[in-house]
Amino acid sequence: MNIFRLAGDMTHLFSVLVLLLKIHTIKSCAGISLKTQELYAIVFTTRYLDLFTTYISLYNTIMKLIFLGSSISIVWYMRHHKVVRRSYDKDQDTFRHYLLMLPCLLLALLINEKFTFLEVMWAFSLYLEAVAILPQLVLLQRTRNIDNLTGQYVLLLGAYRALYVLNWIYRYFTEENYVHWITWVSGIVQTLLYADFFYYYFQSWKNNVKLQLPA
Amino acid sequence: EEDAVQHDEL
């Protein structure tokens, strides 16, 4: 495993820990999009079906279980915890996230590495992950005061995506037969969504004005 | 038995 991949996994892990910290210690999920969290829970559930069929490494298995368990528990907390759910910005978090799922499924049926159930689900999870952050970005744009933890959560997620792109470049040049077009294209689309957002985020921060994304 | 595609990334 190269340094970019490890750093990518660690920033991903930290992003989840930051979110769990906010939920457990402050008992708040203000500024966090339940829509995005639900999409992530679906992303990891459909991607890690190979937990039952393929063993890669202990590291791989543990990380998969962490991402599965944390994403499902975050959704549970936001929906059902009697204190946490009260801080959820329900009226602002209006993105119709289920509409993203059908096109991703159709694309996965058409474009996959192999036409098997596991591979179609894997491709679906990649396409869905690419757009899963959209409800969160829309919510951030609407929320007047973004607290530090929410800002750090999105920053860590963006870093995770950027580091994975570096990891792919590194692997392409150092490993033979390492070509994964589906992963790369959906990963780059996802990274560009973050980059575009951060551009406006830092602009508004620099000029000290409320974040306004172009329509 | 078909070979499954191995995904070693998360």
Side-chain angles (χ1 to χ4, degrees), chain A residues 39-40 42-44 46-48 104-105 107-108 111-113 118-132 160-161 164 168 180-190, chain B residues 7 9-10:
Chain A
L39 291 179
Y40 280 142
I42 295 165
V43 163
F44 296 129
T46 50
R47 185 175 306 169
Y48 298 154
C104 290
L105 186 62
L107 196 59
I111 305 173
N112 48 64
E113 284 196 34
L118 283 186
E119 279 312 302
V120 170
M121 286 294 103
W122 183 275
F124 168 72
S125 79
L126 288 171
Y127 302 143
L128 194 62
E129 189 188 357
V131 291
Y160 145 62
R161 292 318 312 177
Y164 252 72
W168 296 329
H180 290 287
W181 281 109
I182 294 175
T183 315
W184 294 347
V185 172
S186 50
I188 288 166
V189 168
Q190 189 180 358
Chain B
H7 299 287
E9 288 177 354
L10 297 159

mmCIF file of all heavy atoms in Angstrom, chain A residues 39-40 42-44 46-48 104-105 107-108 111-113 118-132 160-161 164 168 180-190, chain B residues 7 9-10:
data_model
loop_
_atom_site.group_PDB
_atom_site.id
_atom_site.type_symbol
_atom_site.label_atom_id
_atom_site.label_comp_id
_atom_site.label_asym_id
_atom_site.label_seq_id
_atom_site.Cartn_x
_atom_site.Cartn_y
_atom_site.Cartn_z
ATOM 1 N N LEU A 39 -27.187 8.098 1.746
ATOM 2 C CA LEU A 39 -26.549 7.636 0.504
ATOM 3 C C LEU A 39 -25.244 6.906 0.807
ATOM 4 O O LEU A 39 -24.953 5.869 0.215
ATOM 5 C CB LEU A 39 -26.312 8.813 -0.448
ATOM 6 C CG LEU A 39 -27.560 9.450 -1.064
ATOM 7 C CD1 LEU A 39 -27.188 10.624 -1.960
ATOM 8 C CD2 LEU A 39 -28.367 8.438 -1.871
ATOM 9 N N TYR A 40 -24.458 7.423 1.756
ATOM 10 C CA TYR A 40 -23.215 6.736 2.121
ATOM 11 C C TYR A 40 -23.496 5.342 2.692
ATOM 12 O O TYR A 40 -22.777 4.386 2.388
ATOM 13 C CB TYR A 40 -22.391 7.557 3.117
ATOM 14 C CG TYR A 40 -21.587 8.661 2.467
ATOM 15 C CD1 TYR A 40 -21.433 9.893 3.078
ATOM 16 C CD2 TYR A 40 -20.969 8.467 1.234
ATOM 17 C CE1 TYR A 40 -20.701 10.907 2.479
ATOM 18 C CE2 TYR A 40 -20.243 9.471 0.629
ATOM 19 C CZ TYR A 40 -20.112 10.696 1.256
ATOM 20 O OH TYR A 40 -19.395 11.687 0.662
ATOM 21 N N ILE A 42 -25.913 3.422 1.926
ATOM 22 C CA ILE A 42 -26.248 2.574 0.774
ATOM 23 C C ILE A 42 -24.988 2.268 -0.041
ATOM 24 O O ILE A 42 -24.781 1.134 -0.488
ATOM 25 C CB ILE A 42 -27.330 3.255 -0.102
ATOM 26 C CG1 ILE A 42 -28.638 3.362 0.690
ATOM 27 C CG2 ILE A 42 -27.555 2.487 -1.404
ATOM 28 C CD1 ILE A 42 -29.647 4.313 0.089
ATOM 29 N N VAL A 43 -24.132 3.286 -0.201
ATOM 30 C CA VAL A 43 -22.874 3.107 -0.945
ATOM 31 C C VAL A 43 -22.051 1.978 -0.329
ATOM 32 O O VAL A 43 -21.614 1.052 -1.013
ATOM 33 C CB VAL A 43 -22.049 4.422 -0.967
ATOM 34 C CG1 VAL A 43 -20.587 4.150 -1.352
ATOM 35 C CG2 VAL A 43 -22.652 5.426 -1.926
ATOM 36 N N PHE A 44 -21.847 2.027 0.996
ATOM 37 C CA PHE A 44 -20.983 1.025 1.622
ATOM 38 C C PHE A 44 -21.663 -0.349 1.680
ATOM 39 O O PHE A 44 -20.992 -1.375 1.526
ATOM 40 C CB PHE A 44 -20.538 1.481 3.011
ATOM 41 C CG PHE A 44 -19.685 2.715 2.963
ATOM 42 C CD1 PHE A 44 -19.967 3.820 3.739
ATOM 43 C CD2 PHE A 44 -18.597 2.774 2.102
ATOM 44 C CE1 PHE A 44 -19.174 4.965 3.668
ATOM 45 C CE2 PHE A 44 -17.807 3.906 2.021
ATOM 46 C CZ PHE A 44 -18.099 5.009 2.812
ATOM 47 N N THR A 46 -23.729 -1.620 -0.530
ATOM 48 C CA THR A 46 -23.688 -2.258 -1.847
ATOM 49 C C THR A 46 -22.255 -2.544 -2.302
ATOM 50 O O THR A 46 -22.013 -3.481 -3.052
ATOM 51 C CB THR A 46 -24.393 -1.384 -2.914
ATOM 52 O OG1 THR A 46 -23.882 -0.049 -2.826
ATOM 53 C CG2 THR A 46 -25.892 -1.361 -2.699
ATOM 54 N N ARG A 47 -21.286 -1.748 -1.825
ATOM 55 C CA ARG A 47 -19.906 -1.969 -2.267
ATOM 56 C C ARG A 47 -19.241 -3.132 -1.540
ATOM 57 O O ARG A 47 -18.454 -3.856 -2.122
ATOM 58 C CB ARG A 47 -19.066 -0.707 -2.075
ATOM 59 C CG ARG A 47 -17.657 -0.874 -2.630
ATOM 60 C CD ARG A 47 -16.860 0.389 -2.564
ATOM 61 N NE ARG A 47 -17.573 1.490 -3.204
ATOM 62 C CZ ARG A 47 -17.191 2.757 -3.103
ATOM 63 N NH1 ARG A 47 -16.139 3.077 -2.403
ATOM 64 N NH2 ARG A 47 -17.883 3.706 -3.702
ATOM 65 N N TYR A 48 -19.543 -3.269 -0.268
ATOM 66 C CA TYR A 48 -18.798 -4.246 0.533
ATOM 67 C C TYR A 48 -19.498 -5.599 0.638
ATOM 68 O O TYR A 48 -19.234 -6.379 1.549
ATOM 69 C CB TYR A 48 -18.495 -3.670 1.917
ATOM 70 C CG TYR A 48 -17.623 -2.430 1.862
ATOM 71 C CD1 TYR A 48 -17.655 -1.480 2.871
ATOM 72 C CD2 TYR A 48 -16.760 -2.204 0.786
ATOM 73 C CE1 TYR A 48 -16.859 -0.342 2.810
ATOM 74 C CE2 TYR A 48 -15.972 -1.068 0.712
ATOM 75 C CZ TYR A 48 -16.019 -0.140 1.723
ATOM 76 O OH TYR A 48 -15.244 0.973 1.658
ATOM 77 N N CYS A 104 -27.958 6.016 -11.333
ATOM 78 C CA CYS A 104 -26.729 5.293 -10.958
ATOM 79 C C CYS A 104 -26.895 3.797 -11.196
ATOM 80 O O CYS A 104 -25.971 3.128 -11.669
ATOM 81 C CB CYS A 104 -26.378 5.552 -9.490
ATOM 82 S SG CYS A 104 -25.827 7.224 -9.181
ATOM 83 N N LEU A 105 -28.072 3.265 -10.884
ATOM 84 C CA LEU A 105 -28.321 1.841 -11.088
ATOM 85 C C LEU A 105 -28.322 1.492 -12.580
ATOM 86 O O LEU A 105 -27.727 0.498 -13.004
ATOM 87 C CB LEU A 105 -29.650 1.442 -10.436
ATOM 88 C CG LEU A 105 -29.967 -0.054 -10.463
ATOM 89 C CD1 LEU A 105 -28.917 -0.843 -9.686
ATOM 90 C CD2 LEU A 105 -31.347 -0.335 -9.885
ATOM 91 N N LEU A 107 -26.814 3.133 -14.971
ATOM 92 C CA LEU A 107 -25.445 3.252 -15.451
ATOM 93 C C LEU A 107 -24.621 2.029 -15.061
ATOM 94 O O LEU A 107 -23.831 1.515 -15.847
ATOM 95 C CB LEU A 107 -24.820 4.528 -14.870
ATOM 96 C CG LEU A 107 -23.542 5.040 -15.538
ATOM 97 C CD1 LEU A 107 -23.778 5.330 -17.013
ATOM 98 C CD2 LEU A 107 -23.030 6.286 -14.825
ATOM 99 N N ALA A 108 -24.867 1.542 -13.829
ATOM 100 C CA ALA A 108 -24.127 0.365 -13.349
ATOM 101 C C ALA A 108 -24.495 -0.878 -14.164
ATOM 102 O O ALA A 108 -23.651 -1.733 -14.410
ATOM 103 C CB ALA A 108 -24.399 0.141 -11.870
ATOM 104 N N ILE A 111 -22.599 -0.036 -17.565
ATOM 105 C CA ILE A 111 -21.143 0.064 -17.517
ATOM 106 C C ILE A 111 -20.635 -0.552 -16.213
ATOM 107 O O ILE A 111 -20.844 -0.003 -15.133
ATOM 108 C CB ILE A 111 -20.675 1.534 -17.628
ATOM 109 C CG1 ILE A 111 -21.257 2.178 -18.898
ATOM 110 C CG2 ILE A 111 -19.146 1.618 -17.633
ATOM 111 C CD1 ILE A 111 -20.991 3.657 -19.019
ATOM 112 N N ASN A 112 -20.002 -1.717 -16.324
ATOM 113 C CA ASN A 112 -19.452 -2.421 -15.172
ATOM 114 C C ASN A 112 -18.255 -3.235 -15.643
ATOM 115 O O ASN A 112 -18.069 -3.432 -16.840
ATOM 116 C CB ASN A 112 -20.517 -3.318 -14.542
ATOM 117 C CG ASN A 112 -21.222 -4.145 -15.593
ATOM 118 O OD1 ASN A 112 -20.599 -4.989 -16.249
ATOM 119 N ND2 ASN A 112 -22.508 -3.909 -15.806
ATOM 120 N N GLU A 113 -17.447 -3.696 -14.693
ATOM 121 C CA GLU A 113 -16.271 -4.468 -15.094
ATOM 122 C C GLU A 113 -16.653 -5.882 -15.542
ATOM 123 O O GLU A 113 -15.944 -6.531 -16.290
ATOM 124 C CB GLU A 113 -15.247 -4.519 -13.958
ATOM 125 C CG GLU A 113 -14.489 -3.200 -13.814
ATOM 126 C CD GLU A 113 -13.225 -3.317 -12.988
ATOM 127 O OE1 GLU A 113 -12.558 -4.347 -13.032
ATOM 128 O OE2 GLU A 113 -12.919 -2.333 -12.282
ATOM 129 N N LEU A 118 -22.429 -8.879 -8.017
ATOM 130 C CA LEU A 118 -21.463 -8.149 -7.188
ATOM 131 C C LEU A 118 -20.820 -6.988 -7.944
ATOM 132 O O LEU A 118 -20.635 -5.902 -7.384
ATOM 133 C CB LEU A 118 -20.372 -9.096 -6.675
ATOM 134 C CG LEU A 118 -20.743 -10.015 -5.514
ATOM 135 C CD1 LEU A 118 -19.517 -10.784 -5.038
ATOM 136 C CD2 LEU A 118 -21.351 -9.244 -4.358
ATOM 137 N N GLU A 119 -20.503 -7.205 -9.220
ATOM 138 C CA GLU A 119 -19.833 -6.155 -9.992
ATOM 139 C C GLU A 119 -20.775 -5.007 -10.341
ATOM 140 O O GLU A 119 -20.372 -3.854 -10.380
ATOM 141 C CB GLU A 119 -19.212 -6.740 -11.262
ATOM 142 C CG GLU A 119 -17.892 -7.413 -11.023
ATOM 143 C CD GLU A 119 -16.947 -6.562 -10.190
ATOM 144 O OE1 GLU A 119 -16.642 -5.437 -10.607
ATOM 145 O OE2 GLU A 119 -16.526 -7.021 -9.111
ATOM 146 N N VAL A 120 -22.045 -5.331 -10.621
ATOM 147 C CA VAL A 120 -23.019 -4.274 -10.894
ATOM 148 C C VAL A 120 -23.227 -3.455 -9.619
ATOM 149 O O VAL A 120 -23.274 -2.219 -9.651
ATOM 150 C CB VAL A 120 -24.350 -4.859 -11.419
ATOM 151 C CG1 VAL A 120 -25.436 -3.785 -11.475
ATOM 152 C CG2 VAL A 120 -24.154 -5.463 -12.809
ATOM 153 N N MET A 121 -23.311 -4.122 -8.470
ATOM 154 C CA MET A 121 -23.469 -3.420 -7.196
ATOM 155 C C MET A 121 -22.241 -2.563 -6.890
ATOM 156 O O MET A 121 -22.340 -1.458 -6.378
ATOM 157 C CB MET A 121 -23.700 -4.429 -6.058
ATOM 158 C CG MET A 121 -25.075 -5.065 -6.041
ATOM 159 S SD MET A 121 -26.380 -3.869 -5.680
ATOM 160 C CE MET A 121 -27.064 -3.614 -7.282
ATOM 161 N N TRP A 122 -21.062 -3.107 -7.213
ATOM 162 C CA TRP A 122 -19.816 -2.358 -6.980
ATOM 163 C C TRP A 122 -19.811 -1.074 -7.818
ATOM 164 O O TRP A 122 -19.524 0.019 -7.326
ATOM 165 C CB TRP A 122 -18.599 -3.230 -7.322
ATOM 166 C CG TRP A 122 -17.291 -2.561 -7.049
ATOM 167 C CD1 TRP A 122 -16.611 -1.713 -7.874
ATOM 168 C CD2 TRP A 122 -16.505 -2.661 -5.852
ATOM 169 N NE1 TRP A 122 -15.458 -1.296 -7.274
ATOM 170 C CE2 TRP A 122 -15.354 -1.850 -6.035
ATOM 171 C CE3 TRP A 122 -16.652 -3.359 -4.647
ATOM 172 C CZ2 TRP A 122 -14.375 -1.723 -5.064
ATOM 173 C CZ3 TRP A 122 -15.650 -3.225 -3.681
ATOM 174 C CH2 TRP A 122 -14.541 -2.413 -3.892
ATOM 175 N N ALA A 123 -20.149 -1.215 -9.105
ATOM 176 C CA ALA A 123 -20.181 -0.045 -9.992
ATOM 177 C C ALA A 123 -21.240 0.953 -9.517
ATOM 178 O O ALA A 123 -20.993 2.164 -9.471
ATOM 179 C CB ALA A 123 -20.455 -0.489 -11.426
ATOM 180 N N PHE A 124 -22.410 0.441 -9.125
ATOM 181 C CA PHE A 124 -23.480 1.299 -8.603
ATOM 182 C C PHE A 124 -22.973 2.117 -7.421
ATOM 183 O O PHE A 124 -23.210 3.328 -7.317
ATOM 184 C CB PHE A 124 -24.671 0.427 -8.183
ATOM 185 C CG PHE A 124 -25.722 1.147 -7.384
ATOM 186 C CD1 PHE A 124 -26.573 2.072 -7.983
ATOM 187 C CD2 PHE A 124 -25.861 0.901 -6.016
ATOM 188 C CE1 PHE A 124 -27.546 2.729 -7.228
ATOM 189 C CE2 PHE A 124 -26.829 1.555 -5.264
ATOM 190 C CZ PHE A 124 -27.659 2.471 -5.880
ATOM 191 N N SER A 125 -22.238 1.476 -6.514
ATOM 192 C CA SER A 125 -21.755 2.171 -5.321
ATOM 193 C C SER A 125 -20.757 3.275 -5.685
ATOM 194 O O SER A 125 -20.736 4.323 -5.050
ATOM 195 C CB SER A 125 -21.120 1.181 -4.338
ATOM 196 O OG SER A 125 -19.807 0.848 -4.743
ATOM 197 N N LEU A 126 -19.976 3.039 -6.732
ATOM 198 C CA LEU A 126 -19.013 4.065 -7.161
ATOM 199 C C LEU A 126 -19.734 5.266 -7.762
ATOM 200 O O LEU A 126 -19.389 6.412 -7.477
ATOM 201 C CB LEU A 126 -18.036 3.482 -8.181
ATOM 202 C CG LEU A 126 -17.010 2.499 -7.630
ATOM 203 C CD1 LEU A 126 -16.255 1.831 -8.762
ATOM 204 C CD2 LEU A 126 -16.036 3.190 -6.683
ATOM 205 N N TYR A 127 -20.741 4.992 -8.597
ATOM 206 C CA TYR A 127 -21.473 6.091 -9.220
ATOM 207 C C TYR A 127 -22.241 6.885 -8.155
ATOM 208 O O TYR A 127 -22.297 8.110 -8.188
ATOM 209 C CB TYR A 127 -22.449 5.565 -10.291
ATOM 210 C CG TYR A 127 -21.756 4.774 -11.382
ATOM 211 C CD1 TYR A 127 -22.358 3.658 -11.955
ATOM 212 C CD2 TYR A 127 -20.496 5.140 -11.829
ATOM 213 C CE1 TYR A 127 -21.719 2.935 -12.945
ATOM 214 C CE2 TYR A 127 -19.847 4.419 -12.823
ATOM 215 C CZ TYR A 127 -20.459 3.317 -13.371
ATOM 216 O OH TYR A 127 -19.820 2.606 -14.343
ATOM 217 N N LEU A 128 -22.826 6.146 -7.211
ATOM 218 C CA LEU A 128 -23.608 6.825 -6.174
ATOM 219 C C LEU A 128 -22.704 7.636 -5.248
ATOM 220 O O LEU A 128 -23.048 8.750 -4.844
ATOM 221 C CB LEU A 128 -24.420 5.796 -5.370
ATOM 222 C CG LEU A 128 -25.518 6.373 -4.481
ATOM 223 C CD1 LEU A 128 -26.570 7.109 -5.305
ATOM 224 C CD2 LEU A 128 -26.193 5.276 -3.653
ATOM 225 N N GLU A 129 -21.524 7.095 -4.932
ATOM 226 C CA GLU A 129 -20.614 7.836 -4.059
ATOM 227 C C GLU A 129 -20.176 9.151 -4.710
ATOM 228 O O GLU A 129 -19.991 10.156 -4.032
ATOM 229 C CB GLU A 129 -19.371 7.000 -3.705
ATOM 230 C CG GLU A 129 -18.519 7.676 -2.624
ATOM 231 C CD GLU A 129 -17.174 6.997 -2.372
ATOM 232 O OE1 GLU A 129 -16.913 5.956 -2.999
ATOM 233 O OE2 GLU A 129 -16.409 7.518 -1.554
ATOM 234 N N ALA A 130 -20.034 9.108 -6.055
ATOM 235 C CA ALA A 130 -19.591 10.304 -6.767
ATOM 236 C C ALA A 130 -20.540 11.482 -6.534
ATOM 237 O O ALA A 130 -20.106 12.629 -6.469
ATOM 238 C CB ALA A 130 -19.455 10.010 -8.255
ATOM 239 N N VAL A 131 -21.843 11.200 -6.387
ATOM 240 C CA VAL A 131 -22.821 12.282 -6.248
ATOM 241 C C VAL A 131 -23.409 12.377 -4.834
ATOM 242 O O VAL A 131 -24.206 13.277 -4.559
ATOM 243 C CB VAL A 131 -23.965 12.124 -7.281
ATOM 244 C CG1 VAL A 131 -23.454 12.383 -8.692
ATOM 245 C CG2 VAL A 131 -24.617 10.753 -7.194
ATOM 246 N N ALA A 132 -22.991 11.466 -3.939
ATOM 247 C CA ALA A 132 -23.612 11.401 -2.609
ATOM 248 C C ALA A 132 -23.387 12.661 -1.781
ATOM 249 O O ALA A 132 -24.168 12.963 -0.873
ATOM 250 C CB ALA A 132 -23.084 10.175 -1.849
ATOM 251 N N TYR A 160 -9.619 13.168 1.402
ATOM 252 C CA TYR A 160 -9.664 11.730 1.124
ATOM 253 C C TYR A 160 -9.816 11.469 -0.370
ATOM 254 O O TYR A 160 -9.098 10.654 -0.963
ATOM 255 C CB TYR A 160 -10.803 11.102 1.948
ATOM 256 C CG TYR A 160 -11.573 9.967 1.328
ATOM 257 C CD1 TYR A 160 -10.956 8.771 0.978
ATOM 258 C CD2 TYR A 160 -12.950 10.077 1.132
ATOM 259 C CE1 TYR A 160 -11.690 7.724 0.433
ATOM 260 C CE2 TYR A 160 -13.685 9.045 0.594
ATOM 261 C CZ TYR A 160 -13.057 7.871 0.234
ATOM 262 O OH TYR A 160 -13.771 6.851 -0.309
ATOM 263 N N ARG A 161 -10.709 12.200 -1.023
ATOM 264 C CA ARG A 161 -10.904 11.991 -2.458
ATOM 265 C C ARG A 161 -9.660 12.384 -3.258
ATOM 266 O O ARG A 161 -9.229 11.669 -4.155
ATOM 267 C CB ARG A 161 -12.110 12.800 -2.963
ATOM 268 C CG ARG A 161 -13.441 12.350 -2.465
ATOM 269 C CD ARG A 161 -13.604 10.868 -2.444
ATOM 270 N NE ARG A 161 -13.202 10.197 -3.686
ATOM 271 C CZ ARG A 161 -13.213 8.885 -3.851
ATOM 272 N NH1 ARG A 161 -13.611 8.086 -2.894
ATOM 273 N NH2 ARG A 161 -12.834 8.354 -4.992
ATOM 274 N N TYR A 164 -6.941 9.823 -2.947
ATOM 275 C CA TYR A 164 -7.203 8.614 -3.725
ATOM 276 C C TYR A 164 -6.825 8.806 -5.198
ATOM 277 O O TYR A 164 -6.323 7.881 -5.837
ATOM 278 C CB TYR A 164 -8.675 8.173 -3.590
ATOM 279 C CG TYR A 164 -8.809 6.919 -2.745
ATOM 280 C CD1 TYR A 164 -8.608 6.960 -1.358
ATOM 281 C CD2 TYR A 164 -9.106 5.689 -3.323
ATOM 282 C CE1 TYR A 164 -8.705 5.821 -0.587
ATOM 283 C CE2 TYR A 164 -9.202 4.540 -2.548
ATOM 284 C CZ TYR A 164 -9.009 4.603 -1.187
ATOM 285 O OH TYR A 164 -9.092 3.469 -0.423
ATOM 286 N N TRP A 168 -4.159 6.560 -7.321
ATOM 287 C CA TRP A 168 -4.371 5.907 -8.627
ATOM 288 C C TRP A 168 -3.245 6.248 -9.591
ATOM 289 O O TRP A 168 -2.787 5.397 -10.342
ATOM 290 C CB TRP A 168 -5.720 6.322 -9.224
ATOM 291 C CG TRP A 168 -6.883 5.879 -8.413
ATOM 292 C CD1 TRP A 168 -6.965 4.752 -7.642
ATOM 293 C CD2 TRP A 168 -8.130 6.554 -8.262
ATOM 294 N NE1 TRP A 168 -8.181 4.694 -7.034
ATOM 295 C CE2 TRP A 168 -8.924 5.776 -7.387
ATOM 296 C CE3 TRP A 168 -8.659 7.739 -8.775
ATOM 297 C CZ2 TRP A 168 -10.212 6.142 -7.019
ATOM 298 C CZ3 TRP A 168 -9.946 8.111 -8.409
ATOM 299 C CH2 TRP A 168 -10.707 7.320 -7.547
ATOM 300 N N HIS A 180 -8.293 0.826 -13.856
ATOM 301 C CA HIS A 180 -9.684 0.727 -13.397
ATOM 302 C C HIS A 180 -10.452 1.968 -13.829
ATOM 303 O O HIS A 180 -10.606 2.911 -13.047
ATOM 304 C CB HIS A 180 -9.742 0.581 -11.871
ATOM 305 C CG HIS A 180 -9.236 -0.733 -11.377
ATOM 306 N ND1 HIS A 180 -9.949 -1.908 -11.536
ATOM 307 C CD2 HIS A 180 -8.092 -1.068 -10.767
ATOM 308 C CE1 HIS A 180 -9.255 -2.908 -11.014
ATOM 309 N NE2 HIS A 180 -8.124 -2.429 -10.541
ATOM 310 N N TRP A 181 -10.917 1.965 -15.065
ATOM 311 C CA TRP A 181 -11.549 3.165 -15.617
ATOM 312 C C TRP A 181 -12.777 3.609 -14.851
ATOM 313 O O TRP A 181 -12.999 4.803 -14.634
ATOM 314 C CB TRP A 181 -11.910 2.925 -17.099
ATOM 315 C CG TRP A 181 -10.719 3.070 -17.971
ATOM 316 C CD1 TRP A 181 -10.050 2.082 -18.622
ATOM 317 C CD2 TRP A 181 -10.001 4.280 -18.253
ATOM 318 N NE1 TRP A 181 -8.969 2.595 -19.292
ATOM 319 C CE2 TRP A 181 -8.909 3.938 -19.090
ATOM 320 C CE3 TRP A 181 -10.174 5.616 -17.874
ATOM 321 C CZ2 TRP A 181 -8.004 4.885 -19.556
ATOM 322 C CZ3 TRP A 181 -9.267 6.561 -18.341
ATOM 323 C CH2 TRP A 181 -8.202 6.197 -19.167
ATOM 324 N N ILE A 182 -13.608 2.650 -14.440
ATOM 325 C CA ILE A 182 -14.862 3.009 -13.752
ATOM 326 C C ILE A 182 -14.561 3.729 -12.445
ATOM 327 O O ILE A 182 -15.128 4.773 -12.141
ATOM 328 C CB ILE A 182 -15.701 1.736 -13.511
ATOM 329 C CG1 ILE A 182 -16.146 1.159 -14.857
ATOM 330 C CG2 ILE A 182 -16.895 2.035 -12.621
ATOM 331 C CD1 ILE A 182 -16.874 -0.158 -14.756
ATOM 332 N N THR A 183 -13.623 3.163 -11.675
ATOM 333 C CA THR A 183 -13.231 3.769 -10.408
ATOM 334 C C THR A 183 -12.647 5.159 -10.639
ATOM 335 O O THR A 183 -12.969 6.111 -9.927
ATOM 336 C CB THR A 183 -12.181 2.881 -9.712
ATOM 337 O OG1 THR A 183 -12.598 1.525 -9.792
ATOM 338 C CG2 THR A 183 -12.009 3.275 -8.272
ATOM 339 N N TRP A 184 -11.791 5.271 -11.641
ATOM 340 C CA TRP A 184 -11.102 6.543 -11.893
ATOM 341 C C TRP A 184 -12.071 7.641 -12.306
ATOM 342 O O TRP A 184 -12.033 8.740 -11.753
ATOM 343 C CB TRP A 184 -10.057 6.368 -12.997
ATOM 344 C CG TRP A 184 -8.920 5.466 -12.623
ATOM 345 C CD1 TRP A 184 -8.613 5.012 -11.355
ATOM 346 C CD2 TRP A 184 -7.948 4.912 -13.492
ATOM 347 N NE1 TRP A 184 -7.516 4.210 -11.405
ATOM 348 C CE2 TRP A 184 -7.074 4.122 -12.703
ATOM 349 C CE3 TRP A 184 -7.722 4.999 -14.863
ATOM 350 C CZ2 TRP A 184 -5.996 3.434 -13.239
ATOM 351 C CZ3 TRP A 184 -6.644 4.314 -15.388
ATOM 352 C CH2 TRP A 184 -5.789 3.545 -14.596
ATOM 353 N N VAL A 185 -12.900 7.333 -13.302
ATOM 354 C CA VAL A 185 -13.769 8.389 -13.829
ATOM 355 C C VAL A 185 -14.759 8.851 -12.754
ATOM 356 O O VAL A 185 -14.920 10.052 -12.515
ATOM 357 C CB VAL A 185 -14.511 7.922 -15.105
ATOM 358 C CG1 VAL A 185 -15.548 8.960 -15.529
ATOM 359 C CG2 VAL A 185 -13.512 7.677 -16.233
ATOM 360 N N SER A 186 -15.390 7.884 -12.051
ATOM 361 C CA SER A 186 -16.353 8.303 -11.020
ATOM 362 C C SER A 186 -15.632 9.003 -9.867
ATOM 363 O O SER A 186 -16.157 9.953 -9.289
ATOM 364 C CB SER A 186 -17.191 7.120 -10.532
ATOM 365 O OG SER A 186 -16.378 6.040 -10.184
ATOM 366 N N GLY A 187 -14.409 8.550 -9.558
ATOM 367 C CA GLY A 187 -13.639 9.192 -8.494
ATOM 368 C C GLY A 187 -13.233 10.604 -8.849
ATOM 369 O O GLY A 187 -13.242 11.505 -8.005
ATOM 370 N N ILE A 188 -12.887 10.819 -10.120
ATOM 371 C CA ILE A 188 -12.473 12.162 -10.544
ATOM 372 C C ILE A 188 -13.677 13.104 -10.572
ATOM 373 O O ILE A 188 -13.590 14.250 -10.131
ATOM 374 C CB ILE A 188 -11.754 12.098 -11.917
ATOM 375 C CG1 ILE A 188 -10.364 11.463 -11.722
ATOM 376 C CG2 ILE A 188 -11.609 13.482 -12.530
ATOM 377 C CD1 ILE A 188 -9.683 11.025 -12.996
ATOM 378 N N VAL A 189 -14.832 12.600 -11.032
ATOM 379 C CA VAL A 189 -16.055 13.418 -11.005
ATOM 380 C C VAL A 189 -16.336 13.867 -9.574
ATOM 381 O O VAL A 189 -16.600 15.041 -9.298
ATOM 382 C CB VAL A 189 -17.259 12.626 -11.569
ATOM 383 C CG1 VAL A 189 -18.577 13.345 -11.264
ATOM 384 C CG2 VAL A 189 -17.093 12.410 -13.066
ATOM 385 N N GLN A 190 -16.237 12.914 -8.646
ATOM 386 C CA GLN A 190 -16.485 13.209 -7.236
ATOM 387 C C GLN A 190 -15.505 14.262 -6.707
ATOM 388 O O GLN A 190 -15.903 15.213 -6.019
ATOM 389 C CB GLN A 190 -16.347 11.916 -6.436
ATOM 390 C CG GLN A 190 -16.788 12.048 -4.993
ATOM 391 C CD GLN A 190 -16.617 10.734 -4.253
ATOM 392 O OE1 GLN A 190 -16.200 9.726 -4.830
ATOM 393 N NE2 GLN A 190 -16.946 10.747 -2.984
ATOM 394 N N HIS B 7 -11.198 -6.390 -5.804
ATOM 395 C CA HIS B 7 -11.073 -4.958 -5.517
ATOM 396 C C HIS B 7 -10.299 -4.817 -4.214
ATOM 397 O O HIS B 7 -10.795 -5.201 -3.166
ATOM 398 C CB HIS B 7 -12.452 -4.322 -5.368
ATOM 399 C CG HIS B 7 -13.297 -4.417 -6.597
ATOM 400 N ND1 HIS B 7 -13.057 -3.667 -7.723
ATOM 401 C CD2 HIS B 7 -14.369 -5.179 -6.886
ATOM 402 C CE1 HIS B 7 -13.950 -3.955 -8.656
ATOM 403 N NE2 HIS B 7 -14.763 -4.882 -8.184
ATOM 404 N N GLU B 9 -9.168 -1.864 -3.099
ATOM 405 C CA GLU B 9 -9.309 -0.523 -2.527
ATOM 406 C C GLU B 9 -10.662 -0.407 -1.836
ATOM 407 O O GLU B 9 -11.556 -1.216 -2.059
ATOM 408 C CB GLU B 9 -9.162 0.535 -3.628
ATOM 409 C CG GLU B 9 -7.718 0.640 -4.110
ATOM 410 C CD GLU B 9 -7.530 1.616 -5.257
ATOM 411 O OE1 GLU B 9 -8.522 2.149 -5.770
ATOM 412 O OE2 GLU B 9 -6.365 1.821 -5.640
ATOM 413 N N LEU B 10 -10.780 0.640 -1.016
ATOM 414 C CA LEU B 10 -12.018 0.794 -0.254
ATOM 415 C C LEU B 10 -12.957 1.762 -0.961
ATOM 416 O O LEU B 10 -14.073 1.919 -0.652
ATOM 417 C CB LEU B 10 -11.697 1.303 1.154
ATOM 418 C CG LEU B 10 -10.835 0.321 1.969
ATOM 419 C CD1 LEU B 10 -10.134 1.035 3.101
ATOM 420 C CD2 LEU B 10 -11.696 -0.809 2.511
#
